[in-house]
Amino acid sequence: MKFKTLSLVAIGAMAFVMGSAPDSRLGVLASAQAQAEGVRPAVGKSLKDASALIKSGKYREALGKVAEAEAVSGRNATENYNIEAMRVAAASGAGDTEALVKGFEALKASGRLAQPEQLRMMESIAGTYLRNKDNARAVTWAQRYFKEGGNSATMKQVLTTAQFNSGDMAAIIKDTEAEINADEKAGRTPSKDKLNLLLGAAMRQKDGNAEQLAIGKLLTYYPSKELWVQVLGTLPQKKGFSDRFALDVYRLKLATGNMRDANDYMEFAQLAAQAGYPEEGKSVVDKGLAAGVLGQGAEGARHKRLLDLMNKRIAEAKAGQVEAQRSANEAKDGNAMISLGLAYAFRGEAAKGVKMIEAGIEKAALKRPEDAKLYLGMAQMMAGDANKAIATWRTVKGADGSADLARLWIVQTRSAKR
């Protein structure tokens, strides 16, 4: 399926880039410690100047002052520690990843850098790499951050953005699916951005399973008319989707409130009558009239004639009902029982329809067994047993559109129950 904008929503939400300015805590850390005992004036003056330059946004000049401090001979451990802390602060603002990493590794090796500060510096390093469009190193540092105990949501955004920019859709799909599963197991609703990210990555990766998962979750948790319009509008264009399901697409349009105009109602009703479901056709016309879509304007008389036709077909079906059932029972296969059972369901006798479709499935020799399960689920839903309908739809495996329709009916039924 092709979607115009939905897959871009999550990426837009992650446009924020870490490292666009130095972490002020780093500068404060270095400035304060530079005044501590053990820092000589020759080193301390350069670090104080560097701190002032950082505050005024002159990061490159600040790095120059760090170099001056570093040039002082005979430095002790405290002086080295403060030099590296100031280097990190200045390099973060300057976007100098080489200096940033050098400072961080030296600070960590000193054994004096607390774990929270280590994580904050790794955030700055990963974000700076991302800002510099070095996505591979941004991924490496973000992953290191999480491996060493970080849990920042912003860093997750940095990691995902870097993966997306580098084209690693498989990693995004794997990680995002795992997060969605964790959310659901914990009773949390996955965020819309997260689901849109999965959809965007799946579309770029051409991963049909992940795409279906994302669409299903979006429709379940964040159903909208726009999304249903896109899904149902592109469904008939899907490779392998059979034309015989045109009526079923209309059924979903009606159920999701996406009937557009009088033509939709007219086409739906006529297809239903042609398929042997005049009661369904009449129901559609009645809904169109009630909504004020049919029965108006120059076409009003035509709509009335269509309603008359539906009533005529219903009378004919009732008159031939006994013979139709006898013929279906005597047939060697269960095909006629499937159609007749669904007709009973639309006639208001859903429980009877369910039994007939089940009997048809048991009779076997079906022309389209997956269609039979799709319609059994519909009859069960009309009979008021949504859970049984969902269980039946889960068994539909057809590759010609029946499984797609079954998945969408599951989503729609669950949404209606929420």
Side-chain angles (χ1 to χ4, degrees), residues 60-388:
R60 285 291 172 190
E61 291 89 335
L63 283 172
K65 290 297 180 180
V66 171
E68 287 182 9
E70 193 175 18
V72 176
S73 62
R75 298 186 311 278
N76 59 43
T78 300
E79 289 171 340
N80 285 334
Y81 184 87
N82 284 282
I83 286 170
E84 298 305 336
M86 192 65 73
R87 188 196 311 278
V88 169
S92 179
D96 188 333
T97 51
E98 183 178 346
L100 189 55
V101 172
K102 177 182 177 181
F104 169 74
E105 296 293 12
L107 287 170
K108 186 175 183 184
S110 74
R112 300 169 63 180
L113 188 65
Q115 177 71 358
E117 289 297 333
Q118 291 182 32
L119 293 174
R120 279 193 285 270
M121 289 185 187
M122 281 189 277
E123 286 186 61
S124 186
I125 292 169
T128 301
Y129 274 126
L130 182 60
R131 179 160 54 96
N132 291 347
K133 296 181 170 52
D134 191 338
N135 295 299
R137 286 189 174 88
V139 168
T140 297
W141 277 90
Q143 290 174 334
R144 178 176 172 180
Y145 166 86
F146 288 111
K147 185 177 180 180
E148 296 192 20
N151 59 5
S152 164
T154 300
M155 277 299 288
K156 175 56 184 172
Q157 291 178 331
V158 169
L159 174 60
T160 303
T161 302
Q163 289 172 327
F164 201 97
N165 291 344
S166 62
D168 192 357
M169 300 300 111
I172 292 176
I173 291 170
K174 179 181 178 181
D175 292 347
T176 307
E177 285 185 350
E179 290 178 17
I180 291 169
N181 288 334
D183 284 341
E184 292 181 325
K185 285 182 179 179
R188 298 186 300 267
T189 298
S191 72
K192 191 173 185 180
D193 281 349
K194 191 177 294 182
L195 296 176
N196 274 317
L197 172 63
L198 177 60
L199 177 59
M203 290 171 64
R204 287 187 61 172
Q205 184 74 1
K206 300 187 186 304
D207 185 331
N209 290 331
E211 184 177 338
Q212 288 293 338
L213 174 65
I215 292 170
K217 299 294 184 186
L218 281 165
L219 288 173
T220 297
Y221 295 115
Y222 305 98
S224 68
K225 186 169 184 177
E226 178 190 27
L227 182 55
W228 273 111
V229 166
Q230 288 186 304
V231 170
L232 296 177
T234 57
L235 184 60
Q237 302 166 22
K238 185 176 180 180
K239 185 177 179 181
F241 192 87
S242 175
D243 291 342
R244 75 176 182 276
F245 290 123
L247 175 58
D248 292 282
V249 173
Y250 273 118
R251 286 167 174 159
L252 275 166
K253 284 184 177 181
L254 182 64
T256 58
N258 284 297
M259 298 290 282
R260 295 172 302 175
D261 51 31
N263 288 333
D264 271 0
Y265 283 95
M266 294 283 285
E267 179 72 10
F268 186 175
Q270 290 171 27
L271 286 173
Q274 291 167 10
Y277 311 117
E279 286 87 357
E280 181 184 26
K282 181 181 183 301
S283 175
V284 171
V285 176
D286 288 340
K287 285 181 171 64
L289 291 169
V293 178
L294 299 182
Q296 308 295 318
E299 293 291 304
R302 182 185 172 207
H303 303 158
K304 180 61 169 61
R305 289 196 297 273
L306 180 61
L307 181 60
D308 292 340
L309 176 62
M310 294 298 110
N311 286 323
K312 179 181 178 182
R313 293 287 180 83
I314 290 171
E316 292 171 348
K318 287 182 177 179
Q321 180 174 305
V322 174
E323 176 58 26
Q325 185 161 342
R326 184 194 63 77
S327 178
N329 290 335
E330 292 178 355
K332 293 182 179 180
D333 58 58
N335 294 304
M337 298 184 81
I338 306 301
S339 297
L340 188 57
L342 190 57
Y344 273 121
F346 285 122
R347 197 169 294 161
E349 300 179 67
K352 183 176 181 179
V354 167
K355 291 181 179 180
M356 185 163 289
I357 295 174
E358 288 174 336
I361 292 174
E362 290 177 6
K363 207 170 187 179
L366 295 174
K367 184 178 181 181
R368 296 189 177 97
E370 300 306 315
D371 290 25
K373 290 186 287 185
L374 173 66
Y375 298 136
L376 174 59
M378 290 178 61
Q380 289 168 331
M381 178 184 66
M382 285 186 273
D385 198 338
N387 291 334
K388 189 171 288 187

